[in-house]
Amino acid sequence: PPTSPMSHMGFLIHSWCLVRLPVVRNAKPASAASSKTTKKFPLAFYSHGLTGNSFSYSYQAASLAAQGYVVMLVEHRDGSAAMTVKEDGRVVEFDRAPAKMWVENRIEHDRYRRKQTVFRATEMIAASRALIKLNDTNPDVLSQLGIDFCTRLDTECGILACGHSFGGATALSFAVRVPEFCAGVVAHEPASDWICDKGRRALFQADPTYTGGVTLGFEDNCNIDDNQKEDKESSSSKSASKMGIHDLNLLFLFSEEWMKNGTGECNRIQKLYMDGHLGPIDGVSNFKFFEKSTHSTFSDCCMLTPTWIARATGLTGPGDPHDHADLIRRNTHRFIEEVEQRR
């Protein structure tokens, strides 16, 4: 049975433990001699949403891996994960303080979330640097498993930044801070309200109606300049061109649930796309939403939870969660293929 703090989820976690994924633990990368091509492995990360973890997006992450990507999943330690365990065994439990703020003081809630986004993006920048180093140096922990990525990783094209909800905001913030380090962004229903002000200004710069904040009247409460010192030190030669987030191809996918409620600045982002202001002028940026879908459609949860429970609680909409997962996968892969063709 699950231990605290997940003990109250035992009835669900028990059934989830019965699920088997079509993947191999500690699998060795295909050798250049045995693979169909000598092309190096492209890189990607997938950042989880609020209450998620590194396992709750296995379908989308494994689909990317099946396309030849080395996909990195992390568990954020800002308190947004359901729980995570540090190297020393200490548990970082889910931070319940923001939920109380949501009820009592919306402004303070969004300030808190935006600071978490900054923390999350900083984690992804550090983790991405560590991933790229695997192309030059193989750590002992991988050597002992017979795994070696040296000279096999495509470090020239950057890292594809992906994420859902809070993770989508994290991926976009990553792209704002280190666009020269980024191959593009796949934002699955991003919580754009939680991107800090500097990032939001960069994303909505072409929108004349954008005045800052979340219609809450505050700016610069999550200034990230102090966090960018290390970013600048690692910038490649591309940085000389002063890249911005709209120099990258961007994919935004939303659910019908969020589109109806106008959540995550979806309407503002859709207008940017319709007006031709999303991504580069000659790029392949795209915006779509899926009918009969909910916010949780993008994670594994809807497929793992018994349908009668998921629909009764509103976790799953009237559509088939497996069909939606495949639809998200196909649209994501089509976008990635178009990006790669433009290189």
Side-chain angles (χ1 to χ4, degrees), residues 271-340:
K271 188 174 188 305
L272 283 177
Y273 171 69
M274 297 297 292
D275 291 344
H277 296 314
L278 195 65
I281 295 175
D282 58 347
V284 295
S285 295
N286 207 342
F287 176 100
K288 288 187 177 181
F289 75 95
F290 305 118
E291 296 181 350
K292 300 181 179 180
S293 61
T294 64
H295 183 58
S296 298
T297 297
F298 294 86
S299 73
D300 295 347
C301 294
C302 290
M303 293 183 286
L304 291 172
T305 306
T307 304
W308 69 273
I309 295 178
R311 288 203 170 128
T313 59
L315 183 69
T316 297
D320 186 320
H322 295 82
D323 290 344
H324 279 133
D326 188 59
L327 190 60
I328 293 164
R329 176 193 64 81
R330 286 188 282 113
N331 277 272
T332 299
H333 287 180
R334 187 179 303 116
F335 168 76
I336 292 172
E337 289 173 356
E338 291 175 347
V339 170
E340 291 178 344

Side-chain angles (χ1 to χ4, degrees), residues 215-250:
T215 68
L216 297 176
F218 61 88
E219 280 285 305
D220 294 320
N221 294 300
C222 295
N223 193 302
I224 62 176
D225 290 340
D226 292 339
N227 295 321
Q228 289 189 327
K229 181 179 180 181
E230 190 178 3
D231 304 345
K232 294 176 181 177
E233 292 173 356
S234 68
S235 295
S236 67
S237 58
K238 294 181 184 178
S239 62
S241 62
K242 296 183 179 179
M243 291 180 65
I245 188 170
H246 288 288
D247 293 311
L248 303 169
N249 285 293
L250 312 171

Side-chain angles (χ1 to χ4, degrees), residues 159-176:
I159 295 178
L160 182 68
C162 311
H164 168 238
S165 192
F166 213 159
T170 302
L172 290 164
S173 297
F174 174 92
V176 167

Side-chain angles (χ1 to χ4, degrees), residues 8-9 14 16 44 60 64-65 97 106 120 151 156 162 205 227 240 244 247 263 278 338-339:
H8 65 289
M9 298 289 288
H14 173 73
W16 292 357
Q60 299 303 333
L64 285 171
R106 177 71 183 277
R120 284 165 142 258
T151 73
E156 296 298 319
C162 311
Q205 59 184 319
N227 295 321
D247 293 311
T263 311
L278 195 65
E338 291 175 347
V339 170

